[in-house]
Amino acid sequence: GTDVATDNAARAPPTLTAALRRAWQERIRFEKGNVCNAAGALQSRLGVPDWFLQKLAPDTLKHALPTSSGKDTAAQGSFDLVSLNFAKLKTLHLPAASGPQLAAVLHSLLETNTTITRLELPRCDMAAATLVAEVLARNRTLQHVAVGGGVDVPVAAMRENRLEQLDVDSSEPGAGKGRPVLRHEDLTVLVAALATNTSLVSLQVRGGFVEKTAGAQMMHRAAKAHSSLRTLCGVPLHRDHGAPRQAMCISGAFGFVGALALADHLRDDACRLNQMEMDQCCISSESARCIGQALLGAPSAELEVMQLTENRLGAEGLRMILRASEGDDAPPERISKSLGSLKRLVVQNNGLGDEGCRELAIWMSPATSTGPAHLTQLVLSGNNIGDDGVRSLSKALAAGQLPALEDLQLACNMIGDKGMTALASAISSGGIPLLQRLMLQENRCIGGSGVKALANALNGHSSLEELDLSKNAVGPSGMHALAELLVHPDCITLHTLALGRCNLKEEGARHIASALSLNSSLTTLSLDRNAVGDKGCFAIAEALRSNSHLLVLELRGNNIKSEGVKALRCALMEGNTTLTHLELTTNQAPEDACLETQNLARSKRNRRIAKHAWGAKG
């Protein structure tokens, strides 16, 4: 059970076979901290490269390797590197498997280890895929098989094995040479195998011929006729007519087959869907058209949540889903009634651009009686939206097309001062009176004039609770405008303000400090990486003495030295009684001084918690 390490590379065995045999003979154990880096640890111990174990994902070995703790007596002798016998191994994940040598080792591994129930070979080559098809003809323990890249349909496994889940993905290229995509003849074989299978409950098929209309329809018909299959590409195939409103969550590329299955699901009278989340599904324009047309005619679906994160929709795909139309002149009756009750719309990281915002504005138009009057959250972050797109959106907001909107997220776009001015105009017009959360971080083009326009618009807006302008060029002038907002009589609800990486410097710190002395609503303030320095820190520390509402203050990476940290510590000890969380890491002051000051704030939090608990007992 003791660890054995090679002191000198010269002592290492000359061949991999000898190295593996020595490792087994000397019962090498891995410390718990090294289990997730087992391949690297083994390589350093033996002094030779171990090409096979380096390919195994850490999670594969995590529960298979014995440790040096000595507590797990059952693990003694359970890891044979020579015969590749992992007594505890249940999942084998081997990405980009390629070449006949690796295929031979994989064959031995599958033949030897009868405990493996899950086999995943994403982006493998044809040699690995063909091997899996052959092994599964005799294997009776595998329940979940995923093959990608090279495709060889494991027909024998589907006829005789107890396979429950099969994932065949040729949408990504394999690691080696060979047939890269699913062909018509492959799909024919798969459909024939489905007709004789009785164990499969989940099937995912993507790439190649199945992405064409004929192939997708062929796969969909076969799946619907299957006796035990429950889901196709993550979409339920059977509906419960007495079931309450349901949510559908799909993650990962589901292809055109998944779009057909979803469309069929939506058209069913038993479909009582109220929440649809499709993240990273790579929805093509053809799939978007299919989904949009199904939503248009869905008899029972009344969606309250639609989440379409990272799907590369673009403006065209969004138009297909929202309006089931390829043109700009869609009549009101072409607008999906199933979206009339929508409360949350998340279209994050989809490359919508300015044209996508225009499509949203058309969807919000008063000409559509089924428009999003109930929408409370709109997430458009990471879509390359510029000033023109924000103008289109702001025009609809100013007209009161989203009267219930509470949460607007436009982070990680390309919005500048002109776009901010348009958005500010929409806010000041009273078109979104219930807005509570506004996320504008990482637009980088927003400067002082845009922030000033926004601050002026928010002066008469009494519902905003959270504002994030991090990673924008706010600067001292923009901070001055925000400081005036914080002391405005109507600013009674804003409790969270994020201004990290806004180039505030010492002058900006003085502006926020003057506001903290008077503001009574702010509880969380982030000022990370703004180069406020000691002088700016002095001003903030002085403001903390009189502030009795701020709970969280973040000042990471602000070039604060020992004197600035000392000023904060004195403020916490002599005047401030409410701050319970302070972040001072990555500054220029000694680390122990920063930790001491942070712990001082943390001790106040612990005392408050203890006092609250004692009061509850009393």
Side-chain angles (χ1 to χ4, degrees):
T2 58
D3 293 331
V4 178
T6 301
D7 298 327
N8 194 324
R11 296 174 53 195
T15 65
L16 176 63
T17 302
L20 294 177
R21 188 171 300 280
R22 176 186 163 193
W24 171 242
Q25 290 172 346
E26 298 185 6
R27 297 297 194 273
I28 287 183
R29 298 285 183 259
F30 293 88
E31 296 287 352
K32 286 186 176 181
N34 289 334
V35 167
C36 289
N37 190 25
L42 181 64
Q43 181 180 355
S44 64
R45 290 164 190 264
L46 302 180
V48 295
D50 181 34
W51 54 270
F52 178 69
L53 285 181
Q54 286 177 353
K55 281 183 173 292
L56 289 174
D59 287 345
T60 296
L61 298 175
K62 191 172 183 180
H63 302 294
L65 293 174
T67 66
S68 59
S69 62
K71 296 180 181 179
D72 190 0
T73 56
Q76 303 301 315
S78 64
F79 179 40
D80 187 347
L81 284 171
V82 177
S83 64
L84 296 176
N85 185 4
F86 300 76
K88 292 185 176 182
L89 190 60
K90 293 184 178 180
T91 298
L92 178 59
H93 179 81
L94 195 61
S98 63
Q101 188 181 20
L102 183 58
V105 176
L106 183 60
H107 182 278
S108 175
L109 193 64
L110 290 172
E111 290 286 343
T112 304
N113 294 271
T114 58
T115 57
I116 299 177
T117 59
R118 187 183 183 99
L119 175 63
E120 300 172 350
L121 299 175
R123 305 184 309 282
C124 68
D125 69 350
M126 280 302 299
T130 302
L131 173 84
V132 171
E134 294 173 356
V135 169
L136 289 179
R138 299 181 298 277
N139 186 285
R140 295 295 179 271
T141 58
L142 280 170
Q143 297 175 1
H144 178 185
V145 172
V147 183
V151 175
D152 197 345
V153 181
V155 177
M158 295 186 64
R159 289 176 179 168
E160 304 170 18
N161 202 289
R162 292 183 296 178
L163 205 60
E164 295 181 359
Q165 184 171 342
L166 176 64
D167 187 346
V168 179
D169 184 1
S170 65
S171 59
E172 293 188 37
K177 296 180 180 180
R179 173 162 47 83
V181 296
L182 198 70
R183 305 170 300 179
H184 179 270
E185 48 266 44
D186 298 322
L187 190 59
T188 302
V189 171
L190 180 58
V191 168
L194 277 175
T196 62
N197 174 271
T198 58
S199 63
L200 209 62
V201 296
S202 176
L203 175 63
Q204 296 197 44
V205 185
R206 297 182 294 274
F209 181 67
V210 81
E211 295 303 322
K212 299 183 181 295
T213 302
Q217 291 175 345
M218 180 179 173
M219 188 73 260
H220 185 223
R221 285 193 299 268
K224 288 182 66 177
H226 195 279
S227 59
S228 62
L229 202 61
R230 297 176 187 172
T231 63
L232 177 62
C233 297
V235 181
L237 289 174
H238 305 288
R239 273 74 70 187
D240 184 357
H241 286 259
R245 292 287 174 187
Q246 299 173 336
M248 180 183 295
C249 302
I250 305 171
S251 181
F254 74 163
F256 192 28
V257 175
L260 283 180
L262 177 58
D264 188 60
H265 186 96
L266 290 169
R267 292 190 184 99
D268 195 299
D269 289 337
C271 173
R272 298 176 59 79
L273 202 64
N274 68 349
Q275 181 173 334
M276 187 165 67
E277 299 181 5
M278 295 186 292
D279 297 337
Q280 298 178 330
C281 290
C282 299
I283 300 174
S284 64
S285 58
E286 188 69 21
S287 296
R289 183 185 297 108
C290 180
I291 295 170
Q293 291 174 348
L295 283 170
L296 183 66
S300 303
E302 293 181 4
L303 290 178
E304 295 181 359
V305 177
M306 177 179 279
Q307 181 168 308
L308 303 166
T309 303
E310 295 185 25
N311 281 297
R312 298 180 292 189
L313 279 175
E316 180 186 6
L318 184 65
R319 176 172 63 242
M320 298 290 185
I321 290 179
L322 294 181
R323 300 198 286 139
S325 169
E326 298 184 27
D328 295 335
D329 55 350
E333 59 269 17
R334 291 286 292 171
I335 305 297
S336 174
K337 293 182 179 180
S338 58
L339 301 180
S341 300
L342 205 60
K343 295 181 180 178
R344 290 182 54 216
L345 177 60
V346 181
V347 198
Q348 185 172 336
N349 297 333
N350 274 284
L352 300 183
D354 292 341
E355 185 63 22
C357 276
R358 195 171 77 87
E359 290 299 331
L360 279 169
I362 293 174
W363 178 58
M364 299 174 192
S365 169
T368 60
S369 57
T370 57
H374 304 287
L375 200 69
T376 60
Q377 183 186 49
L378 178 60
V379 181
L380 298 173
S381 300
N383 277 300
N384 298 323
I385 298 171
D387 289 342
D388 289 341
V390 176
R391 284 195 191 98
S392 298
L393 182 63
S394 299
K395 187 176 180 180
L397 294 176
Q401 301 311 310
L402 295 183
L405 189 65
E406 299 175 356
D407 184 354
L408 177 60
Q409 300 186 32
L410 291 165
C412 303
N413 281 298
M414 302 173 65
I415 304 170
D417 288 340
K418 292 181 180 179
M420 282 294 292
T421 301
L423 181 60
S425 177
I427 294 173
S428 60
S429 69
I432 40 178
L434 303 180
L435 187 66
Q436 299 176 10
R437 191 166 185 246
L438 182 57
M439 312 302 284
L440 294 162
Q441 65 269 31
E442 204 165 345
N443 274 281
R444 301 188 184 276
C445 299
I446 300 175
S449 61
V451 174
K452 184 176 181 180
L454 178 65
N456 290 337
L458 291 173
N459 275 337
H461 190 88
S462 58
S463 63
L464 191 70
E465 298 178 359
E466 183 176 356
L467 175 62
D468 194 338
L469 285 165
S470 300
K471 296 185 179 180
N472 283 298
V474 175
S477 62
M479 188 64 254
H480 182 263
L482 289 173
E484 291 182 344
L485 169 66
L486 288 173
V487 298
H488 193 277
D490 288 337
C491 186
I492 57 176
T493 58
L494 185 63
H495 58 69
T496 301
L497 179 60
L499 294 167
R501 296 179 184 268
C502 284
N503 197 31
L504 301 184
K505 300 183 179 180
E506 177 191 334
E507 183 182 352
R510 292 184 182 278
H511 290 316
I512 188 65
S514 64
L516 286 176
S517 301
L518 301 173
N519 179 272
S520 60
S521 65
L522 210 59
T523 59
T524 301
L525 176 62
S526 175
L527 298 173
D528 291 339
R529 295 172 175 81
N530 275 294
V532 302
D534 275 351
K535 292 184 178 179
C537 192
F538 293 157
I540 293 173
E542 186 63 29
L544 288 177
R545 292 177 179 272
S546 57
N547 184 285
S548 59
H549 294 86
L550 196 66
L551 302 176
V552 178
L553 176 60
E554 297 177 350
L555 290 169
R556 301 179 187 87
N558 268 296
N559 302 332
I560 300 173
K561 300 178 181 178
S562 298
E563 292 301 315
V565 172
K566 182 179 178 180
L568 288 171
R569 184 166 61 251
C570 291
L572 291 175
M573 294 177 63
E574 299 171 4
N576 185 278
T577 59
T578 55
L579 195 70
T580 58
H581 185 88
L582 177 63
E583 283 289 347
L584 289 170
T585 54
T586 61
N587 276 292
Q588 296 181 15
E591 184 177 352
D592 56 347
C594 292
L595 288 175
E596 180 184 349
T597 307
Q598 290 178 168
N599 290 335
L600 183 60
R602 190 176 295 112
S603 65
K604 289 187 176 185
R605 178 181 63 193
N606 293 337
R607 285 198 298 270
R608 290 182 65 178
I609 293 174
K611 182 178 180 181
H612 178 76
W614 181 261
K617 290 181 180 179

